[in-house]
Amino acid sequence: MAKDYYGILGVRRDASADDIKRAYRQLARQFHPDVNADPAAQDRFKEINAAYEVLSDPKKREIVDLGGDPLGPGGGSAGAGAGPFVGFQDIMDAFFGNAASRGPRSRTRAGSDAILRLELDLHETAFGIEAPISVDTAVLCQTCDGAGTAPGTHPTTCETCAGRGEIQSVQRTFLGQVVSARPCPACQGFGSVIAHPCAKCGGDGRTRARRNLTVKIPAGVEDGMRIRLAQQGEVGPGGGPPGDLYVEIHERPHDIFSRKGDDLHCRVTVPMTAAALGTRITLKTLDSEETVDVKPGTQPGSSLRIRGRGVPHLRGSGRGDLHVHLDVRTPTKLTPDEERMLRDFARTRGEEVAELSRQKGGFLSFMRDAFNGHA
Ligand SMILES: [Zn+2]
Ligand SMILES: [Zn+2]
């Protein structure tokens, strides 16, 4: 049974040479072991190679069209991708013919971005700050101004590649003659060598330095946000343009306030009597002192909202709110007088209380009695 080479490439039996080429290129992009780590891709790629070898050759294709298999037993060729292994980039170059046109690469390359972590207090993230920062990055070498050469010297043309920056080799494969180009090992592809490197930077064109900058943190930033300082990152090799510096905000936890977006939350404990009778409390917010009324009959877990006393909005005007969560404190130790007053109070309200300290069976017995309805 002959292999379905058309099926492997996913082309029709009347596909043109261009269609076959396009299909192969597409599949090589998908299944070449250089770009696809799946072990199954390797076998699939061999199959694709074999199909292309057959269908791109008019003589072999004719055998297929007559029902034979040019790669099968008695088919002649060794085939099935048995030729030299062709790298992914070489396949692309064979199709696009750009192997010879890359040329030497520049010594100057753009620098990378840098990131710096900045710890701030809630007060600083809320209201903004001009924060001094100290950043350690690559900077332009002052001795050679980025050129990498010792003063008064210049790079010389690489003898190995004659300044082309690459070495070409020619391979005979099922794709025909494939010209592949590798970066020149003698000059790392630069096409020139620095015989006398700058003593300060060793030829890299940059040195490391610590710089002190000031970053303006706007009011209302949040934990995890990044402020971008354009071109304050790492200078590139050969004195290339610097990347950006990102300052990542980390907000320290606050003793009193926890933050949710632009709202702040805090807890205030009031005595049981104040919760029952109502009271007025003064509390310090992030930037002011506020007096708030605790209504008579306040329940544990209820909260008050103080509008506009949260964190200023980063975008637009206004501020979040401050939520004051109220806990009610039940007295734990009562004097005999206090206990008597509370019992009197309970009696006037018709509320059942047990004399736990003196009752046999203690708490569990009280619970049981309560459920039975005669505590
Ligand atoms: Zn230098
Ligand atoms: Zn070279």
Side-chain angles (χ1 to χ4, degrees):
M1 180 75 197
K3 266 198 170 159
D4 178 15
Y5 294 115
Y6 289 103
I8 291 167
L9 288 188
V11 293
R12 292 155 53 102
R13 295 190 74 83
D14 59 357
S16 70
D18 273 351
D19 292 340
I20 289 165
K21 210 179 227 185
R22 207 173 301 122
Y24 173 72
R25 206 162 59 200
Q26 190 79 39
L27 291 167
R29 267 210 186 95
Q30 215 176 325
F31 293 104
H32 194 289
D34 285 359
V35 291
N36 191 330
D38 185 351
Q42 199 160 341
D43 288 337
R44 180 91 165 88
F45 184 63
K46 276 186 192 156
E47 235 180 20
I48 292 160
N49 272 352
Y52 183 69
E53 179 180 349
V54 168
L55 297 183
S56 62
D57 181 332
K59 276 185 206 138
K60 288 177 185 163
R61 186 173 176 181
E62 202 184 335
I63 297 171
V64 172
D65 291 342
L66 292 171
D69 186 349
L71 301 183
S77 161
F85 181 79
V86 184
F88 178 69
Q89 192 55 51
D90 294 334
I91 290 175
M92 293 301 129
D93 290 345
F95 283 116
F96 296 109
N98 58 355
S101 64
R102 269 182 242 140
R105 63 191 181 105
S106 170
R107 285 187 186 276
T108 304
R109 270 178 294 146
S112 47
D113 294 339
I115 185 160
L116 181 91
R117 190 187 155 103
L118 181 65
E119 295 228 343
L120 295 174
D121 290 331
L122 176 60
H123 201 272
E124 295 167 330
T125 55
F127 301 114
I129 184 180
E130 302 233 333
I133 54 170
S134 173
V135 56
D136 184 345
T137 62
V139 296
L140 191 71
C141 175
Q142 296 299 315
T143 304
C144 64
D145 215 18
T149 48
T153 68
H154 297 281
T156 50
T157 303
C158 173
E159 287 173 9
T160 308
C161 63
R164 280 192 298 272
E166 57 192 15
I167 306 287
Q168 290 189 348
S169 60
V170 179
Q171 250 183 320
R172 276 223 50 83
T173 72
F174 65 92
L175 294 171
Q177 191 165 290
V178 172
V179 180
S180 56
R182 302 267 173 269
C184 169
C187 62
Q188 285 89 48
F190 295 127
S192 63
V193 285
I194 294 179
H196 306 284
C198 165
K200 185 79 189 294
C201 64
D204 194 32
R206 52 186 183 161
T207 53
R208 289 205 80 79
R210 185 164 280 281
R211 291 172 295 144
N212 294 315
L213 305 170
T214 302
V215 55
K216 192 173 170 6
I217 306 293
V221 293
E222 269 185 77
D223 190 69
M225 277 183 178
R226 290 177 176 188
I227 312 276
R228 176 171 161 267
L229 300 183
Q231 303 207 312
Q232 294 289 357
E234 310 273 352
V235 161
D244 297 333
L245 172 65
Y246 289 90
V247 177
E248 191 174 271
I249 308 291
H250 287 266
E251 189 181 272
R252 294 191 193 99
H254 192 273
D255 287 346
I256 294 167
F257 302 110
S258 63
R259 178 173 175 180
K260 285 194 186 93
D262 288 341
D263 281 359
L264 293 176
H265 295 258
C266 69
R267 305 195 79 84
V268 168
T269 303
V270 294
M272 178 182 81
T273 46
L277 300 171
T279 189
R280 175 167 287 185
I281 53 175
T282 301
L283 58 99
K284 276 201 163 82
T285 71
L286 207 50
D287 58 331
S288 65
E289 236 179 41
E290 300 285 328
T291 303
V292 288
D293 288 337
V294 175
K295 286 198 200 79
T298 287
Q299 301 297 315
S302 59
S303 64
L304 298 169
R305 189 207 312 231
I306 307 178
R307 288 192 187 274
R309 285 292 158 214
V311 173
H313 300 310
L314 180 61
R315 291 175 187 84
S317 56
R319 295 172 63 168
D321 300 331
L322 172 61
H323 301 263
V324 182
H325 300 270
L326 295 167
D327 287 334
V328 175
R329 187 171 60 240
T330 305
T332 50
K333 277 186 183 136
L334 297 173
T335 64
D337 266 0
E338 287 166 347
E339 181 174 345
R340 188 179 42 73
M341 281 187 278
L342 270 181
R343 288 192 181 282
D344 286 349
F345 176 75
R347 202 170 303 117
T348 55
R349 291 180 61 86
E351 289 168 357
E352 301 282 356
V353 289
E355 299 208 12
L356 277 182
S357 50
R358 271 154 270 172
Q359 192 186 41
K360 266 192 177 169
F363 181 68
L364 281 176
S365 149
F366 171 64
M367 286 294 286
R368 194 164 51 237
D369 290 348
F371 280 122
N372 292 338
H374 44 76

